[in-house]
């Protein structure tokens, strides 16, 4: 004899009423999906589910990439592909036509090689400083500080600003009649033209990008620090391990996966630097803060001497650099995983 | 059949949602002074008189018109009408209004002098009309000169005389610089022409930089080097990015500023009664005392979906009484022959400096050199301007020697001519 089924409560009835359309939809999808499964097999269903995403990826990423590559093989000033003439690898040859790659002025496209050199030094210096400052900030914010949440917000706030706003704020601070010179003048220091001195401007672009993005990387590292088990530190403390040794032997190795993510993200972002610098210095003085993305933008769109094919070729080369950086990151990541398994 | 109907309905709905509404006319407009407000008022009146036409006035910055509009046009898009300063370079994108306007002869008679500036070479197209004719020229801070006890150089004073006088004022009044010129190839071309430069070769294509051009550029770089001319504006960007130097003059920090007539309203509004200023015309060189003519044109874009409505608006705005009113309210020099010939323009300003400046510009236009008059309608003007600004900017930033800059300017221009396939 079976126990009588209890009658559904009001909540259960309401729930099943609300779920009715969902069940109906599931049944409606079920019929074609079974047919698809029959045709594609269980193994093929992953492809079916990924197809919509791949379609979007194909249209918005792969297709533009292909079109960009085709552009780089064409010449002229017209924008429509059909109005452009095929020139093969001429645009690439033009970019690489150089007597001495270390002397941009000996190259036909001197602005391109100047931008490559500027970007290289920017990436080296900015990424190194970024990691260092983000790590120090994360270590400090991980301590039991008074008003810790407030300080975290302070460091993260610039990340929320639009790069154009960041550029404008710092322009107002650094220009000849800006806030910094006003402040210095109050202390009897002669105003200085920070944004027209080649060396200072380069330093300013690094400083501003550090200020604008450091909070984001510090947050990633802070999450990594908080994931390190506390008992490891307690054990080290009981053993009387010095703080420096704790950092090198416990904190840094366990933070390495987060650090790797930060390095790669910072590298990619540094190579792509554009908006805040464009607003702050416009690439000047001369071409001292002209970075690759701005070169591509100006060559392709903004200059009266615009050349979309040359810009496309330069962007393909820049893309290759980013692919290499990503592959290095993947390689290091996989090696780390293998080490971890052993 | 049902599926086909559904698809057709969906396609129609999509078309209706994306296409411009019949009767819509979109204008891309930039302002140097108060002309945006004046145009807004005029457009409002036009819509009251023509209730079937809806005009949308998009106020954008000059850099948007300069950098983004050409890209939109190349892609076959853009507004229906645009106010532009790069008129000739994009002329293949302008709509031929000749078959659409009410009276093509009226347009030829009144706007014919500048029609070539805005149409492809060899055509008789009516593309639009000049909203203003401009002329480059100088402005002097009279108060600073008076305070320094330095008399303003006379009407035929040379660039050297202005430089010497402004330097005395700078030293006496402790201003950061004595002179400034906008970061613009168009502006720099005026003194180059006064020194005898001629950009146009015998074949109509760009000629290599000649002695006149090199002479002034050498002087200019020297003046920036010794702190006479403002370096800030010229090294504050890479490439051929435009930068105006008006702010330093407005702030009373500059004895002499070389720009043009379009700044009059801007200076009148922003300077007010803070100090006395005068328009000086263009200083002289060994060959001429010329400014560079130019201006902004209102042109119809050939990709418009509503050409009849565009022509109706252009006809309305091009009326003699409207052009006169626009010029009087904006303090712009008109490009309408009837308005100019009849004279009697009553510029709507109480500012005595602005009125005197406009009179000075009208007077200065009489000494414009022939070489200068040819450039606005020359296809390669912008190419030459861009190459000069880019390389001179690099020289002033200490990246290039002047001789190398000359070589690079010629090479850049030659490459551009080659790229164009002409």
């Amino acid at each position: 004899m079976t126990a009588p089924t209890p009658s559904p409560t009001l909540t259960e009835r309401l729930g099943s009423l609300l779920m009715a359309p969902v069940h109906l939809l599931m049944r409606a999808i079920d019929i074609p999906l079974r047919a698809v499964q029959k045709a594609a097999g269980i193994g093929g269903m992953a492809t079916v589910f990924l197809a919509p995403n791949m379609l979007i990826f194909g249209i918005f990423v792969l297709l533009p990439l292909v079109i960009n590559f085709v552009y780089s093989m064409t010449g002229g000033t017209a924008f429509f592909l059909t109005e452009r003439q095929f020139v093969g690898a001429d645009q690439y040859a033009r970019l690489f036509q150089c007597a001495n790659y270390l002397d941009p002025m000996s190259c036909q496209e001197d602005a391109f090689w100047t931008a490559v050199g500027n970007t290289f030094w920017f990436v080296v210096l900015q990424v190194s400083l970024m990691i260092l400052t983000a790590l120090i900030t994360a270590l400090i914010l991980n301590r039991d500080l008074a008003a810790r949440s407030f300080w975290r917000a302070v460091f993260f706030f610039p990340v929320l600003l639009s790069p154009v706003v960041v550029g404008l704020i710092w322009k107002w601070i650094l220009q000849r009649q800006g806030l910094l010179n006003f402040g210095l003048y109050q202390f009897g220091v002669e105003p200085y033209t920070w944004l027209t001195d080649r060396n200072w401007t380069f330093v300013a672009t690094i400083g501003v990008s550090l200020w604008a993005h450091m909070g984001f990387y510090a947050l990633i590292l802070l999450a990594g620090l908080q994931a390190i088990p506390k008992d490891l530190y307690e054990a080290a403390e009981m053993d009387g391990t010095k703080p420096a040794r704790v950092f090198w032997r416990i904190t840094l190795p366990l933070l390495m996966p987060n650090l790797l993510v930060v390095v790669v993200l910072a590298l990619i972002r540094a190579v792509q630097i554009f908006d805040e610098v464009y607003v702050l210095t416009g690439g000047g003085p001369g071409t001292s803060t002209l970075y690759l993305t701005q070169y591509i933008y100006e060559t392709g769109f903004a200059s009266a001497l615009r050349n979309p094919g040359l810009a496309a070729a330069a962007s393909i080369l820049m893309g290759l650099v980013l692919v290499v950086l990503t592959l290095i990151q993947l390689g290091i990541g996989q090696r780390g995983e293998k080490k971890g398994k052993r | 059949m049902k599926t086909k109907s559904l698809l057709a309905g969906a396609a129609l709905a999509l078309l209706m949602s994306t296409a411009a509404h019949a009767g819509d006319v979109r204008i891309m407009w930039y302002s140097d002074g108060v002309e945006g407000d004046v145009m807004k008022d005029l457009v409002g009146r036009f819509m009251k008189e023509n209730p079937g036409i809806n005009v949308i006035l998009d106020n954008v910055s000059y850099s948007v018109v300069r950098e983004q509009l050409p890209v939109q046009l190349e892609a076959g898009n853009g507004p229906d009408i645009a106010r532009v300063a790069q008129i000739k370079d994009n002329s293949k994108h302008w709509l031929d209004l000749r078959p659409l306007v009410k009276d093509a002869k009226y347009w030829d008679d009144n706007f014919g002098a500048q029609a070539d500036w805005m149409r492809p070479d060899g055509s008789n197209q009516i593309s639009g009309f000049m909203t203003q004719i401009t002329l480059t020229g100088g402005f002097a801070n009279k108060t600073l000169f008076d305070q320094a006890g330095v008399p303003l150089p006379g009407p035929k004073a040379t660039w050297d005389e202005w430089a010497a006088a402004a330097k005395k004022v700078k030293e006496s009044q402790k201003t950061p610089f004595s002179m400034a010129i906008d970061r613009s190839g168009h502006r720099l071309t005026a003194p180059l022409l006064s020194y005898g430069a001629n950009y146009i070769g015998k074949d109509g294509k760009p000629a290599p930089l000649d002695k006149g051009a090199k002479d002034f550029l050498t002087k200019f770089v020297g003046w920036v080097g010794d702190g006479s001319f403002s370096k800030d504006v010229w090294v504050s960007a890479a490439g051929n990015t435009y930068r105006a130097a008006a702010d330093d003059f407005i702030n009373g920090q500059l004895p002499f500023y070389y720009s043009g007539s379009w700044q009059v309203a801007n200076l009148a509004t922003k300077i007010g009664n803070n100090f006395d200023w005068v328009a000086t015309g263009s200083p002289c060189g060994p060959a001429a005392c010329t400014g560079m003519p130019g201006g902004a044109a209102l042109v119809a874009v050939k990709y418009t979906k509503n050409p009849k409505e565009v022509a109706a608006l252009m006809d309305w705005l091009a009326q003699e009484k409207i052009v006169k009113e626009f010029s009087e309210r904006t303090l712009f020099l008109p490009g309408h022959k009837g308005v100019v010939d009849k004279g009697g323009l009553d510029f709507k300003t109480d500012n005595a400096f602005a009125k005197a400046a406009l009179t000075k510009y009208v007077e200065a236009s009489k000494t414009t050199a022939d070489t200068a008059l040819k450039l606005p309608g020359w296809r390669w003007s912008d190419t030459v301007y861009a190459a000069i600004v880019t390389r001179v900017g690099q020289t002033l930033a200490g990246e290039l020697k002047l001789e190398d800059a000359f070589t690079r300017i010629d090479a850049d221009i030659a490459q551009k001519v080659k790229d164009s396939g002409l």
Side-chain angles (χ1 to χ4, degrees), chain B residues 65-126:
Chain B
V65 176
R66 195 168 185 272
E67 294 174 6
Q68 293 178 24
L69 180 65
V71 179
Q72 291 179 20
L73 296 173
E74 286 291 342
N77 294 315
D80 301 298
I81 294 172
R83 182 178 192 233
V84 292
Q86 275 74 39
I87 311 165
K88 186 74 172 185
D89 215 23
N90 295 308
S91 59
K92 67 177 177 179
H93 301 293
W94 308 147
L95 174 71
D96 185 3
L97 291 165
R98 187 170 290 280
L100 298 166
V101 292
K102 278 183 199 159
D103 182 3
K105 190 175 176 302
Y106 168 84
W107 282 74
D108 288 337
D109 290 347
N110 290 297
F111 303 110
Q114 291 85 32
D116 263 345
W117 295 7
M118 59 185 97
R119 62 187 172 201
D121 285 340
S123 89
N124 76 335
Q125 179 171 315
I126 294 173

Side-chain angles (χ1 to χ4, degrees), chain A residues 94 152 175 233 263:
Chain A
R94 186 164 153 186
R152 283 179 187 175
Q175 65 192 6
Y233 290 109
V263 170

Side-chain angles (χ1 to χ4, degrees), chain B residues 310-352:
Chain B
V310 166
L313 176 59
M314 293 294 273
D315 259 335
W316 193 89
L317 290 171
Q319 294 174 87
E320 188 173 318
K321 62 176 183 187
I322 299 294
V323 171
K324 186 169 184 281
E325 182 189 336
F326 180 81
S327 301
E328 286 174 341
R329 292 174 65 186
T330 56
L331 312 187
F332 286 161
L333 306 178
H336 185 292
K337 190 170 182 297
V339 175
V340 175
D341 287 351
K342 283 177 190 163
L345 278 166
D346 178 20
F347 289 111
K348 305 290 182 218
T349 176
D350 296 333
N351 190 310

